[in-house]
Amino acid sequence: MTTFGELFGREPDGRWAGPGRVNLIGEHIDYADGLCLPFAIAQRTVVEVAKRTDGRLRLRSRSEEGGFDGDLADVGPGRPEGWSGYVAGVLWALREAGYAVGGIDLLVTETVPLGSGLSSSAALECGAALAVDDLYGLGLGSSAEGRKQLVDACRRAENDVVGAQTGGMDQAASLLGTAGHALLLDTHDDSTRQVPFAPAEVGLTLLIIDTKVRHSHADNEYGARRASVEKAASALGRPSLRDATVADLAALDADLLPRARHVVTEIDRVRRTVALLDAGRIAEIGPLLDASHTSLAVDYEVSCPELDLACATARAAGALGARMTGGGFGGSAIALVPADGADSVAGAVRAAFAAAGHREPDIRATEPSAGAERIT
Ligand code: GLA
């Protein structure tokens, strides 16, 4: 196993972790002025980092090919390519925002599974951002308001340097997540609130079912969905679909209407989920999770047979609710299950995947965990 010392001829200044995320509900609306409810998970990306006194970046990963050797001054839209863009992009974005940051040596030693739909890219960005914050004494990591600046930098890394037009949900979850809560993120004004979500306390378990499927057309489809939603809003003469009702959508063309209906109904489902969680009624959110999945599969068309099978099988085996989570086209589903039924639900999903000739899914229980942190 390659060590930091072997690669860079010195020891790291520390290790930082950025968690992946699950989105409980509020899918594909963080780029549409909507509300989402993600949380940080225990699976994380770990980086070892040392500060440099010049503007150089040396970036390596234990598990991924490639990397980067170059100057921070050479980083910009589209440069560098590959996973290094997520890290270099964070430094670039912090500098663009006026923070005095310089070079680093960085080794990725552990990662959220790539393509799992659990946001390995945000985990990497957020772990690296916190490391740079610490090493350059920016003081942003110690408060929620400061962390929001880091969220912005991570999102700019992804949007401007990597060139993926994602919303900011994943980065917010990874940096602002806390144990025992989901994070209500209102993308209209970027305000956040911690909403109690501790399924184990009421005898429930949230399973993550990683289908291990990753469709190559996902990025194009993501951009197409985003464009449809913007087109629908402008066709209705609105800045966004935020305050539209389903009745308002009747004037839309047949191709835009279902996309817009997903956005409008999903915002409503998030509000109803939050009201139930605030009232301590976790067990009652199941139908909202199911309806979210149906809307994503039928109206938004971002699911796939494996995600549909995982959700339908989990429900038939006793889950209170199940839905795909994240961008879709593969990746992971979640299922809320009675704790004493978790093994049988997992077994039923594995059996259904085997019978359908799919790869064996990775199924594990999850709970909201701490956001990005220094480990040593
Ligand atoms: C990806 C993006 C997020 C969000 C989800 C869908 O994870 O990175 O910004 O749009 O898809 O909810």
Side-chain angles (χ1 to χ4, degrees), residues 246-278:
V246 172
D248 295 331
L249 308 179
L252 290 173
D253 290 348
D255 58 330
L256 294 181
L257 191 136
R259 306 291 194 242
R261 185 166 54 210
H262 167 70
V263 171
V264 170
T265 59
E266 185 78 352
I267 291 173
D268 179 58
R269 282 186 287 272
V270 176
R271 291 202 171 103
R272 288 158 61 194
T273 303
V274 169
L276 287 171
L277 295 183
D278 279 338

PDB file of all heavy atoms in Angstrom, residues 246-278:
ATOM      1  N   VAL A 246     -49.873  22.139  -9.216  1.00  0.00           N
ATOM      2  CA  VAL A 246     -50.071  21.219 -10.338  1.00  0.00           C
ATOM      3  C   VAL A 246     -51.053  21.831 -11.341  1.00  0.00           C
ATOM      4  O   VAL A 246     -50.874  21.718 -12.552  1.00  0.00           O
ATOM      5  CB  VAL A 246     -50.546  19.840  -9.828  1.00  0.00           C
ATOM      6  CG1 VAL A 246     -50.940  18.947 -10.996  1.00  0.00           C
ATOM      7  CG2 VAL A 246     -49.446  19.168  -9.010  1.00  0.00           C
ATOM      8  N   ALA A 247     -52.068  22.532 -10.838  1.00  0.00           N
ATOM      9  CA  ALA A 247     -53.058  23.151 -11.740  1.00  0.00           C
ATOM     10  C   ALA A 247     -52.401  24.186 -12.664  1.00  0.00           C
ATOM     11  O   ALA A 247     -52.785  24.311 -13.838  1.00  0.00           O
ATOM     12  CB  ALA A 247     -54.169  23.807 -10.921  1.00  0.00           C
ATOM     13  N   ASP A 248     -51.383  24.902 -12.155  1.00  0.00           N
ATOM     14  CA  ASP A 248     -50.697  25.917 -12.976  1.00  0.00           C
ATOM     15  C   ASP A 248     -49.991  25.290 -14.180  1.00  0.00           C
ATOM     16  O   ASP A 248     -49.655  25.986 -15.135  1.00  0.00           O
ATOM     17  CB  ASP A 248     -49.618  26.649 -12.159  1.00  0.00           C
ATOM     18  CG  ASP A 248     -50.202  27.469 -11.021  1.00  0.00           C
ATOM     19  OD1 ASP A 248     -51.347  27.923 -11.157  1.00  0.00           O
ATOM     20  OD2 ASP A 248     -49.498  27.636 -10.003  1.00  0.00           O
ATOM     21  N   LEU A 249     -49.716  23.988 -14.109  1.00  0.00           N
ATOM     22  CA  LEU A 249     -48.877  23.359 -15.137  1.00  0.00           C
ATOM     23  C   LEU A 249     -49.662  22.971 -16.389  1.00  0.00           C
ATOM     24  O   LEU A 249     -49.065  22.574 -17.394  1.00  0.00           O
ATOM     25  CB  LEU A 249     -48.193  22.101 -14.565  1.00  0.00           C
ATOM     26  CG  LEU A 249     -47.423  22.311 -13.250  1.00  0.00           C
ATOM     27  CD1 LEU A 249     -46.818  20.994 -12.789  1.00  0.00           C
ATOM     28  CD2 LEU A 249     -46.329  23.364 -13.415  1.00  0.00           C
ATOM     29  N   ALA A 250     -50.977  23.093 -16.335  1.00  0.00           N
ATOM     30  CA  ALA A 250     -51.829  22.607 -17.434  1.00  0.00           C
ATOM     31  C   ALA A 250     -51.459  23.224 -18.782  1.00  0.00           C
ATOM     32  O   ALA A 250     -51.638  22.591 -19.829  1.00  0.00           O
ATOM     33  CB  ALA A 250     -53.293  22.888 -17.109  1.00  0.00           C
ATOM     34  N   ALA A 251     -50.900  24.431 -18.754  1.00  0.00           N
ATOM     35  CA  ALA A 251     -50.578  25.115 -20.004  1.00  0.00           C
ATOM     36  C   ALA A 251     -49.311  24.579 -20.676  1.00  0.00           C
ATOM     37  O   ALA A 251     -49.018  24.936 -21.826  1.00  0.00           O
ATOM     38  CB  ALA A 251     -50.402  26.616 -19.721  1.00  0.00           C
ATOM     39  N   LEU A 252     -48.577  23.714 -19.980  1.00  0.00           N
ATOM     40  CA  LEU A 252     -47.283  23.254 -20.528  1.00  0.00           C
ATOM     41  C   LEU A 252     -47.458  22.204 -21.629  1.00  0.00           C
ATOM     42  O   LEU A 252     -48.432  21.451 -21.636  1.00  0.00           O
ATOM     43  CB  LEU A 252     -46.437  22.645 -19.411  1.00  0.00           C
ATOM     44  CG  LEU A 252     -45.887  23.616 -18.372  1.00  0.00           C
ATOM     45  CD1 LEU A 252     -45.214  22.840 -17.248  1.00  0.00           C
ATOM     46  CD2 LEU A 252     -44.884  24.592 -19.011  1.00  0.00           C
ATOM     47  N   ASP A 253     -46.478  22.151 -22.531  1.00  0.00           N
ATOM     48  CA  ASP A 253     -46.453  21.097 -23.554  1.00  0.00           C
ATOM     49  C   ASP A 253     -46.347  19.726 -22.879  1.00  0.00           C
ATOM     50  O   ASP A 253     -45.799  19.607 -21.784  1.00  0.00           O
ATOM     51  CB  ASP A 253     -45.221  21.256 -24.455  1.00  0.00           C
ATOM     52  CG  ASP A 253     -45.351  22.485 -25.335  1.00  0.00           C
ATOM     53  OD1 ASP A 253     -46.461  23.042 -25.397  1.00  0.00           O
ATOM     54  OD2 ASP A 253     -44.327  22.876 -25.921  1.00  0.00           O
ATOM     55  N   ALA A 254     -46.797  18.696 -23.600  1.00  0.00           N
ATOM     56  CA  ALA A 254     -46.845  17.344 -23.031  1.00  0.00           C
ATOM     57  C   ALA A 254     -45.463  16.820 -22.627  1.00  0.00           C
ATOM     58  O   ALA A 254     -45.357  16.000 -21.708  1.00  0.00           O
ATOM     59  CB  ALA A 254     -47.483  16.397 -24.040  1.00  0.00           C
ATOM     60  N   ASP A 255     -44.402  17.294 -23.289  1.00  0.00           N
ATOM     61  CA  ASP A 255     -43.072  16.781 -22.914  1.00  0.00           C
ATOM     62  C   ASP A 255     -42.564  17.433 -21.627  1.00  0.00           C
ATOM     63  O   ASP A 255     -41.804  16.824 -20.874  1.00  0.00           O
ATOM     64  CB  ASP A 255     -42.060  16.968 -24.053  1.00  0.00           C
ATOM     65  CG  ASP A 255     -41.932  18.421 -24.467  1.00  0.00           C
ATOM     66  OD1 ASP A 255     -42.930  19.175 -24.348  1.00  0.00           O
ATOM     67  OD2 ASP A 255     -40.826  18.815 -24.896  1.00  0.00           O
ATOM     68  N   LEU A 256     -42.980  18.659 -21.354  1.00  0.00           N
ATOM     69  CA  LEU A 256     -42.481  19.350 -20.161  1.00  0.00           C
ATOM     70  C   LEU A 256     -43.346  19.094 -18.934  1.00  0.00           C
ATOM     71  O   LEU A 256     -42.860  19.151 -17.804  1.00  0.00           O
ATOM     72  CB  LEU A 256     -42.435  20.864 -20.402  1.00  0.00           C
ATOM     73  CG  LEU A 256     -41.429  21.353 -21.448  1.00  0.00           C
ATOM     74  CD1 LEU A 256     -41.494  22.878 -21.556  1.00  0.00           C
ATOM     75  CD2 LEU A 256     -40.006  20.916 -21.088  1.00  0.00           C
ATOM     76  N   LEU A 257     -44.618  18.819 -19.165  1.00  0.00           N
ATOM     77  CA  LEU A 257     -45.550  18.741 -18.030  1.00  0.00           C
ATOM     78  C   LEU A 257     -45.145  17.719 -16.968  1.00  0.00           C
ATOM     79  O   LEU A 257     -45.089  18.043 -15.786  1.00  0.00           O
ATOM     80  CB  LEU A 257     -46.974  18.487 -18.529  1.00  0.00           C
ATOM     81  CG  LEU A 257     -48.028  18.660 -17.445  1.00  0.00           C
ATOM     82  CD1 LEU A 257     -49.228  19.437 -17.940  1.00  0.00           C
ATOM     83  CD2 LEU A 257     -48.448  17.340 -16.862  1.00  0.00           C
ATOM     84  N   PRO A 258     -44.833  16.471 -17.336  1.00  0.00           N
ATOM     85  CA  PRO A 258     -44.465  15.520 -16.278  1.00  0.00           C
ATOM     86  C   PRO A 258     -43.194  15.920 -15.527  1.00  0.00           C
ATOM     87  O   PRO A 258     -43.093  15.692 -14.317  1.00  0.00           O
ATOM     88  CB  PRO A 258     -44.257  14.200 -17.026  1.00  0.00           C
ATOM     89  CG  PRO A 258     -44.485  14.467 -18.463  1.00  0.00           C
ATOM     90  CD  PRO A 258     -44.925  15.869 -18.662  1.00  0.00           C
ATOM     91  N   ARG A 259     -42.234  16.507 -16.237  1.00  0.00           N
ATOM     92  CA  ARG A 259     -40.992  16.941 -15.557  1.00  0.00           C
ATOM     93  C   ARG A 259     -41.328  17.992 -14.504  1.00  0.00           C
ATOM     94  O   ARG A 259     -40.862  17.940 -13.367  1.00  0.00           O
ATOM     95  CB  ARG A 259     -39.997  17.539 -16.555  1.00  0.00           C
ATOM     96  CG  ARG A 259     -39.675  16.642 -17.735  1.00  0.00           C
ATOM     97  CD  ARG A 259     -38.869  15.418 -17.321  1.00  0.00           C
ATOM     98  NE  ARG A 259     -38.314  14.762 -18.475  1.00  0.00           N
ATOM     99  CZ  ARG A 259     -38.609  13.518 -18.849  1.00  0.00           C
ATOM    100  NH1 ARG A 259     -39.424  12.771 -18.138  1.00  0.00           N
ATOM    101  NH2 ARG A 259     -38.053  13.003 -19.922  1.00  0.00           N
ATOM    102  N   ALA A 260     -42.158  18.974 -14.907  1.00  0.00           N
ATOM    103  CA  ALA A 260     -42.532  20.046 -13.982  1.00  0.00           C
ATOM    104  C   ALA A 260     -43.381  19.493 -12.831  1.00  0.00           C
ATOM    105  O   ALA A 260     -43.231  19.905 -11.684  1.00  0.00           O
ATOM    106  CB  ALA A 260     -43.302  21.126 -14.735  1.00  0.00           C
ATOM    107  N   ARG A 261     -44.238  18.522 -13.150  1.00  0.00           N
ATOM    108  CA  ARG A 261     -45.089  17.941 -12.099  1.00  0.00           C
ATOM    109  C   ARG A 261     -44.221  17.256 -11.045  1.00  0.00           C
ATOM    110  O   ARG A 261     -44.512  17.310  -9.848  1.00  0.00           O
ATOM    111  CB  ARG A 261     -46.068  16.946 -12.731  1.00  0.00           C
ATOM    112  CG  ARG A 261     -47.080  16.384 -11.760  1.00  0.00           C
ATOM    113  CD  ARG A 261     -48.202  15.686 -12.495  1.00  0.00           C
ATOM    114  NE  ARG A 261     -47.684  14.676 -13.422  1.00  0.00           N
ATOM    115  CZ  ARG A 261     -48.281  14.313 -14.570  1.00  0.00           C
ATOM    116  NH1 ARG A 261     -49.414  14.880 -14.937  1.00  0.00           N
ATOM    117  NH2 ARG A 261     -47.732  13.395 -15.345  1.00  0.00           N
ATOM    118  N   HIS A 262     -43.143  16.600 -11.472  1.00  0.00           N
ATOM    119  CA  HIS A 262     -42.248  16.010 -10.466  1.00  0.00           C
ATOM    120  C   HIS A 262     -41.740  17.082  -9.514  1.00  0.00           C
ATOM    121  O   HIS A 262     -41.756  16.910  -8.288  1.00  0.00           O
ATOM    122  CB  HIS A 262     -41.062  15.278 -11.108  1.00  0.00           C
ATOM    123  CG  HIS A 262     -40.018  14.966 -10.071  1.00  0.00           C
ATOM    124  ND1 HIS A 262     -40.230  14.022  -9.077  1.00  0.00           N
ATOM    125  CD2 HIS A 262     -38.814  15.529  -9.794  1.00  0.00           C
ATOM    126  CE1 HIS A 262     -39.192  14.010  -8.256  1.00  0.00           C
ATOM    127  NE2 HIS A 262     -38.321  14.919  -8.666  1.00  0.00           N
ATOM    128  N   VAL A 263     -41.272  18.197 -10.070  1.00  0.00           N
ATOM    129  CA  VAL A 263     -40.685  19.244  -9.219  1.00  0.00           C
ATOM    130  C   VAL A 263     -41.718  19.767  -8.224  1.00  0.00           C
ATOM    131  O   VAL A 263     -41.455  19.859  -7.011  1.00  0.00           O
ATOM    132  CB  VAL A 263     -40.139  20.398 -10.100  1.00  0.00           C
ATOM    133  CG1 VAL A 263     -39.736  21.597  -9.243  1.00  0.00           C
ATOM    134  CG2 VAL A 263     -38.957  19.909 -10.932  1.00  0.00           C
ATOM    135  N   VAL A 264     -42.900  20.084  -8.722  1.00  0.00           N
ATOM    136  CA  VAL A 264     -43.933  20.677  -7.865  1.00  0.00           C
ATOM    137  C   VAL A 264     -44.386  19.697  -6.781  1.00  0.00           C
ATOM    138  O   VAL A 264     -44.498  20.051  -5.604  1.00  0.00           O
ATOM    139  CB  VAL A 264     -45.130  21.134  -8.739  1.00  0.00           C
ATOM    140  CG1 VAL A 264     -46.324  21.522  -7.879  1.00  0.00           C
ATOM    141  CG2 VAL A 264     -44.701  22.296  -9.628  1.00  0.00           C
ATOM    142  N   THR A 265     -44.602  18.443  -7.158  1.00  0.00           N
ATOM    143  CA  THR A 265     -45.093  17.474  -6.158  1.00  0.00           C
ATOM    144  C   THR A 265     -43.983  17.075  -5.182  1.00  0.00           C
ATOM    145  O   THR A 265     -44.235  16.818  -4.011  1.00  0.00           O
ATOM    146  CB  THR A 265     -45.696  16.213  -6.824  1.00  0.00           C
ATOM    147  OG1 THR A 265     -44.696  15.585  -7.646  1.00  0.00           O
ATOM    148  CG2 THR A 265     -46.904  16.570  -7.689  1.00  0.00           C
ATOM    149  N   GLU A 266     -42.747  17.056  -5.668  1.00  0.00           N
ATOM    150  CA  GLU A 266     -41.644  16.652  -4.772  1.00  0.00           C
ATOM    151  C   GLU A 266     -41.400  17.720  -3.698  1.00  0.00           C
ATOM    152  O   GLU A 266     -41.122  17.382  -2.544  1.00  0.00           O
ATOM    153  CB  GLU A 266     -40.370  16.387  -5.595  1.00  0.00           C
ATOM    154  CG  GLU A 266     -39.187  15.837  -4.814  1.00  0.00           C
ATOM    155  CD  GLU A 266     -39.266  14.335  -4.488  1.00  0.00           C
ATOM    156  OE1 GLU A 266     -40.322  13.707  -4.731  1.00  0.00           O
ATOM    157  OE2 GLU A 266     -38.268  13.803  -3.974  1.00  0.00           O
ATOM    158  N   ILE A 267     -41.518  18.978  -4.064  1.00  0.00           N
ATOM    159  CA  ILE A 267     -41.360  20.045  -3.057  1.00  0.00           C
ATOM    160  C   ILE A 267     -42.422  19.854  -1.963  1.00  0.00           C
ATOM    161  O   ILE A 267     -42.126  19.935  -0.766  1.00  0.00           O
ATOM    162  CB  ILE A 267     -41.454  21.442  -3.712  1.00  0.00           C
ATOM    163  CG1 ILE A 267     -40.231  21.691  -4.612  1.00  0.00           C
ATOM    164  CG2 ILE A 267     -41.562  22.540  -2.643  1.00  0.00           C
ATOM    165  CD1 ILE A 267     -40.295  22.975  -5.436  1.00  0.00           C
ATOM    166  N   ASP A 268     -43.623  19.544  -2.373  1.00  0.00           N
ATOM    167  CA  ASP A 268     -44.706  19.315  -1.402  1.00  0.00           C
ATOM    168  C   ASP A 268     -44.401  18.100  -0.519  1.00  0.00           C
ATOM    169  O   ASP A 268     -44.619  18.127   0.698  1.00  0.00           O
ATOM    170  CB  ASP A 268     -46.022  19.123  -2.176  1.00  0.00           C
ATOM    171  CG  ASP A 268     -47.173  18.848  -1.237  1.00  0.00           C
ATOM    172  OD1 ASP A 268     -47.426  19.693  -0.363  1.00  0.00           O
ATOM    173  OD2 ASP A 268     -47.810  17.783  -1.363  1.00  0.00           O
ATOM    174  N   ARG A 269     -43.855  17.051  -1.131  1.00  0.00           N
ATOM    175  CA  ARG A 269     -43.544  15.847  -0.331  1.00  0.00           C
ATOM    176  C   ARG A 269     -42.454  16.144   0.702  1.00  0.00           C
ATOM    177  O   ARG A 269     -42.474  15.592   1.805  1.00  0.00           O
ATOM    178  CB  ARG A 269     -43.102  14.697  -1.250  1.00  0.00           C
ATOM    179  CG  ARG A 269     -44.251  14.004  -1.963  1.00  0.00           C
ATOM    180  CD  ARG A 269     -43.790  12.781  -2.744  1.00  0.00           C
ATOM    181  NE  ARG A 269     -43.045  13.136  -3.940  1.00  0.00           N
ATOM    182  CZ  ARG A 269     -43.595  13.371  -5.137  1.00  0.00           C
ATOM    183  NH1 ARG A 269     -44.907  13.264  -5.299  1.00  0.00           N
ATOM    184  NH2 ARG A 269     -42.836  13.691  -6.167  1.00  0.00           N
ATOM    185  N   VAL A 270     -41.498  16.992   0.352  1.00  0.00           N
ATOM    186  CA  VAL A 270     -40.458  17.331   1.337  1.00  0.00           C
ATOM    187  C   VAL A 270     -41.100  18.052   2.517  1.00  0.00           C
ATOM    188  O   VAL A 270     -40.833  17.727   3.684  1.00  0.00           O
ATOM    189  CB  VAL A 270     -39.357  18.216   0.716  1.00  0.00           C
ATOM    190  CG1 VAL A 270     -38.345  18.644   1.787  1.00  0.00           C
ATOM    191  CG2 VAL A 270     -38.638  17.478  -0.401  1.00  0.00           C
ATOM    192  N   ARG A 271     -41.971  19.006   2.215  1.00  0.00           N
ATOM    193  CA  ARG A 271     -42.623  19.753   3.315  1.00  0.00           C
ATOM    194  C   ARG A 271     -43.387  18.800   4.231  1.00  0.00           C
ATOM    195  O   ARG A 271     -43.349  18.906   5.457  1.00  0.00           O
ATOM    196  CB  ARG A 271     -43.586  20.790   2.745  1.00  0.00           C
ATOM    197  CG  ARG A 271     -42.874  21.931   2.044  1.00  0.00           C
ATOM    198  CD  ARG A 271     -43.778  23.170   1.972  1.00  0.00           C
ATOM    199  NE  ARG A 271     -43.040  24.319   1.502  1.00  0.00           N
ATOM    200  CZ  ARG A 271     -43.123  24.812   0.257  1.00  0.00           C
ATOM    201  NH1 ARG A 271     -43.921  24.257  -0.619  1.00  0.00           N
ATOM    202  NH2 ARG A 271     -42.410  25.869  -0.076  1.00  0.00           N
ATOM    203  N   ARG A 272     -44.099  17.852   3.629  1.00  0.00           N
ATOM    204  CA  ARG A 272     -44.893  16.926   4.450  1.00  0.00           C
ATOM    205  C   ARG A 272     -43.990  15.975   5.249  1.00  0.00           C
ATOM    206  O   ARG A 272     -44.299  15.614   6.388  1.00  0.00           O
ATOM    207  CB  ARG A 272     -45.874  16.162   3.560  1.00  0.00           C
ATOM    208  CG  ARG A 272     -46.991  17.130   3.105  1.00  0.00           C
ATOM    209  CD  ARG A 272     -47.703  16.690   1.860  1.00  0.00           C
ATOM    210  NE  ARG A 272     -48.357  15.416   2.001  1.00  0.00           N
ATOM    211  CZ  ARG A 272     -48.810  14.693   0.979  1.00  0.00           C
ATOM    212  NH1 ARG A 272     -48.625  15.120  -0.268  1.00  0.00           N
ATOM    213  NH2 ARG A 272     -49.411  13.563   1.177  1.00  0.00           N
ATOM    214  N   THR A 273     -42.885  15.568   4.640  1.00  0.00           N
ATOM    215  CA  THR A 273     -41.944  14.703   5.370  1.00  0.00           C
ATOM    216  C   THR A 273     -41.372  15.442   6.576  1.00  0.00           C
ATOM    217  O   THR A 273     -41.295  14.892   7.685  1.00  0.00           O
ATOM    218  CB  THR A 273     -40.796  14.252   4.436  1.00  0.00           C
ATOM    219  OG1 THR A 273     -41.357  13.585   3.308  1.00  0.00           O
ATOM    220  CG2 THR A 273     -39.830  13.333   5.151  1.00  0.00           C
ATOM    221  N   VAL A 274     -40.972  16.692   6.372  1.00  0.00           N
ATOM    222  CA  VAL A 274     -40.392  17.481   7.461  1.00  0.00           C
ATOM    223  C   VAL A 274     -41.409  17.660   8.589  1.00  0.00           C
ATOM    224  O   VAL A 274     -41.066  17.531   9.773  1.00  0.00           O
ATOM    225  CB  VAL A 274     -39.883  18.848   6.934  1.00  0.00           C
ATOM    226  CG1 VAL A 274     -39.522  19.782   8.081  1.00  0.00           C
ATOM    227  CG2 VAL A 274     -38.676  18.632   6.021  1.00  0.00           C
ATOM    228  N   ALA A 275     -42.662  17.901   8.228  1.00  0.00           N
ATOM    229  CA  ALA A 275     -43.690  18.076   9.264  1.00  0.00           C
ATOM    230  C   ALA A 275     -43.817  16.799  10.095  1.00  0.00           C
ATOM    231  O   ALA A 275     -43.922  16.845  11.328  1.00  0.00           O
ATOM    232  CB  ALA A 275     -45.028  18.442   8.619  1.00  0.00           C
ATOM    233  N   LEU A 276     -43.779  15.639   9.440  1.00  0.00           N
ATOM    234  CA  LEU A 276     -43.871  14.376  10.181  1.00  0.00           C
ATOM    235  C   LEU A 276     -42.648  14.164  11.065  1.00  0.00           C
ATOM    236  O   LEU A 276     -42.770  13.754  12.227  1.00  0.00           O
ATOM    237  CB  LEU A 276     -44.031  13.197   9.205  1.00  0.00           C
ATOM    238  CG  LEU A 276     -45.396  13.078   8.520  1.00  0.00           C
ATOM    239  CD1 LEU A 276     -45.363  12.013   7.425  1.00  0.00           C
ATOM    240  CD2 LEU A 276     -46.490  12.745   9.552  1.00  0.00           C
ATOM    241  N   LEU A 277     -41.464  14.453  10.539  1.00  0.00           N
ATOM    242  CA  LEU A 277     -40.247  14.246  11.340  1.00  0.00           C
ATOM    243  C   LEU A 277     -40.228  15.195  12.535  1.00  0.00           C
ATOM    244  O   LEU A 277     -39.845  14.811  13.644  1.00  0.00           O
ATOM    245  CB  LEU A 277     -38.991  14.439  10.483  1.00  0.00           C
ATOM    246  CG  LEU A 277     -38.790  13.425   9.351  1.00  0.00           C
ATOM    247  CD1 LEU A 277     -37.479  13.687   8.619  1.00  0.00           C
ATOM    248  CD2 LEU A 277     -38.814  11.993   9.866  1.00  0.00           C
ATOM    249  N   ASP A 278     -40.636  16.454  12.304  1.00  0.00           N
ATOM    250  CA  ASP A 278     -40.677  17.405  13.423  1.00  0.00           C
ATOM    251  C   ASP A 278     -41.631  16.928  14.510  1.00  0.00           C
ATOM    252  O   ASP A 278     -41.447  17.225  15.683  1.00  0.00           O
ATOM    253  CB  ASP A 278     -41.131  18.789  12.925  1.00  0.00           C
ATOM    254  CG  ASP A 278     -39.992  19.579  12.291  1.00  0.00           C
ATOM    255  OD1 ASP A 278     -38.806  19.273  12.590  1.00  0.00           O
ATOM    256  OD2 ASP A 278     -40.268  20.497  11.495  1.00  0.00           O
TER     257      ASP A 278
END
